Amino acid sequence: QVQLVESGGGLVQTGRSLRLSCAGSGPTFGDVAVGWFRQSPGKERDFVAAVNWNGDLTYYADSVKGRFTISRDNAKNMVYLQMNRLKPEDTAVYYCNVDSNVLRLTRKTDFGSWSQGTQVTVSS
């Protein structure tokens, strides 16, 4: 079973950048799609971005397209979310999760569990 740990969050000003990391463990991490999701207080957790097992397919929510880039390094068991031109509405706890199918990951809601996430706060 894949275990995930998010890191890299913090407090930044509008327009600045952050890079989030999702560290995966387990023998199958390199075989699964990985997605980033986010949840703001009082709101549902939303899809942000996803990458397939080898990194050659990516999907983004419309709200982050052109500003965020997802990538992975299977040699290091890592998936990254480069976030540029951050806005106050990007403020949320960011989580990563996995699925065997990248397209299903973009609309999946019934994940069995979530790790602790990493807080991103963008000040105006």
Side-chain angles (χ1 to χ4, degrees), residues 37-109:
F37 303 80
R38 65 187 182 187
Q39 186 170 26
S40 305
K43 296 186 178 181
E44 294 186 350
R45 191 160 7 214
D46 292 330
F47 166 74
V48 175
V51 61
N52 74 329
W53 71 276
N54 68 354
D56 65 358
L57 276 179
T58 56
Y59 295 90
Y60 297 93
D62 287 344
S63 59
V64 306
K65 212 170 282 185
R67 299 188 298 123
F68 291 11
T69 303
I70 189 170
S71 61
R72 68 188 299 162
D73 183 344
N74 284 344
K76 297 180 179 178
N77 274 9
M78 298 290 291
V79 171
Y80 305 101
L81 185 69
Q82 178 66 43
M83 307 187 296
N84 297 330
R85 304 199 309 275
L86 282 161
K87 304 175 181 179
E89 50 263 45
D90 295 318
T91 295
V93 179
Y94 284 70
Y95 304 86
C96 55
N97 218 318
V98 300
D99 192 278
S100 59
N101 182 282
V102 64
L103 196 55
R104 185 168 58 216
L105 195 58
T106 67
R107 49 182 182 254
K108 185 173 178 176
T109 58

